[in-house]
Amino acid sequence: MRVLLVLSLLITSTLLAQAQSDYLVTSSKDTLRGKVSLLLQEKLTEKVTVTTEDETRTFHSGQLIAARINEVTYKSIKHGDKYRMMKEITPGYLGLYSFRFEDNYDFDPKFLYKVTSEGQEIPTFGFRAVAADFLSECPSIVQAIKDKTYKISELSTLVDDYNTRCLNTRMKSKGAEVKEISTLLDQIAELQQLLRDIQAKKMQVKKSPSI
């Protein structure tokens, strides 16, 4: 009996600790802490729930900026015709993410995403041509890609090299732009919020019964 009680307490404390570490950030920059869960995708959106001691709330991916689940970060990124909750693999100015196909829980397809809101899905076959085109502003990385320095399994290394080598070079050569980067990021955040608002309104219109 004592062993069962101890096990029960351990499980409860683990769940509570997990719930306290999980959180999501809404598009209005509110942080909600609780047990966060990603639901199976729908055609036009993905849904995320957060459960606190008082209630369970559901959000569409277009209403979120990010979520943290079991120490893994997911960001709401527009890809195609909808916002997807993408799993962060390598963070940075250029980040590497993975996402889910419809009706699938597995995060597998890879996606490169820049802070400037530019994104590109990276196919398994022919990934070098796609990656080189997307990163064309960085000649040294493009040449390394063409020289087959990176395999598809080494995209994280490619991203790290880009952020270390190319981003630093660009910043040094554009000192005035570096001083304005915080303003640029604020403008990008405002634009992303506008896009989310438009997406939410489109979904409301589609769900409204026709008269």
Side-chain angles (χ1 to χ4, degrees), residues 15-199:
L15 291 174
L16 286 173
Q18 177 180 318
Q20 291 173 353
S21 63
D22 287 359
Y23 63 85
L24 55 80
V25 182
T26 68
S27 55
S28 57
K29 299 182 180 179
D30 294 324
T31 300
L32 305 178
R33 297 186 179 277
K35 173 59 181 170
V36 180
S37 301
L38 296 177
L39 305 185
L40 191 62
Q41 297 188 72
E42 298 179 6
K43 185 175 181 180
L44 297 176
T45 188
E46 296 184 33
K47 290 182 179 179
V48 183
T49 63
V50 56
T51 301
T52 64
E53 294 181 355
D54 302 321
E55 60 178 349
T56 296
R57 298 178 63 183
T58 301
F59 294 86
H60 294 283
S61 49
Q63 298 174 309
L64 300 174
I65 294 176
R68 182 81 170 173
I69 306 173
N70 294 332
E71 300 185 354
V72 177
T73 298
Y74 299 83
K75 291 188 177 179
S76 176
I77 296 175
K78 197 170 192 301
H79 175 35
D81 59 353
K82 73 177 184 180
Y83 284 93
R84 298 175 184 269
M85 297 305 297
M86 294 196 180
K87 182 178 181 180
E88 186 177 73
I89 300 173
T90 305
Y93 175 93
L94 173 68
L96 175 62
Y97 298 83
S98 61
F99 63 95
R100 302 178 295 176
F101 285 124
E102 279 71 13
D103 301 323
N104 197 324
Y105 276 112
D106 296 328
F107 287 82
D108 184 51
K110 300 300 185 293
F111 195 84
L112 293 178
Y113 185 74
K114 299 175 184 176
V115 171
T116 52
S117 295
E118 301 169 90
Q120 177 63 57
E121 181 179 347
I122 303 299
T124 301
F125 299 101
F127 82 93
R128 291 190 178 92
V130 175
D133 182 65
F134 183 61
L135 305 175
S136 60
E137 74 281 358
C138 186
S140 63
I141 286 293
V142 170
Q143 188 59 51
I145 293 172
K146 291 180 177 179
D147 292 341
K148 299 184 179 181
T149 301
Y150 308 102
K151 301 177 182 178
I152 186 66
S153 60
E154 298 171 327
L155 285 176
S156 286
T157 303
L158 186 158
V159 168
D160 285 337
D161 288 348
Y162 176 96
N163 288 329
T164 300
R165 189 189 313 170
C166 300
L167 186 59
N168 287 345
T169 300
R170 291 174 65 194
M171 285 186 172
K172 288 176 183 178
S173 64
K174 299 181 180 181
E177 293 183 13
V178 174
K179 294 179 181 179
E180 298 174 0
I181 193 169
S182 61
T183 302
L184 174 61
L185 293 177
D186 287 341
Q187 292 173 345
I188 291 170
E190 290 176 3
L191 178 58
Q192 290 176 325
Q193 177 59 49
L194 178 61
L195 291 173
R196 288 188 175 92
D197 291 343
I198 293 173
Q199 182 77 1

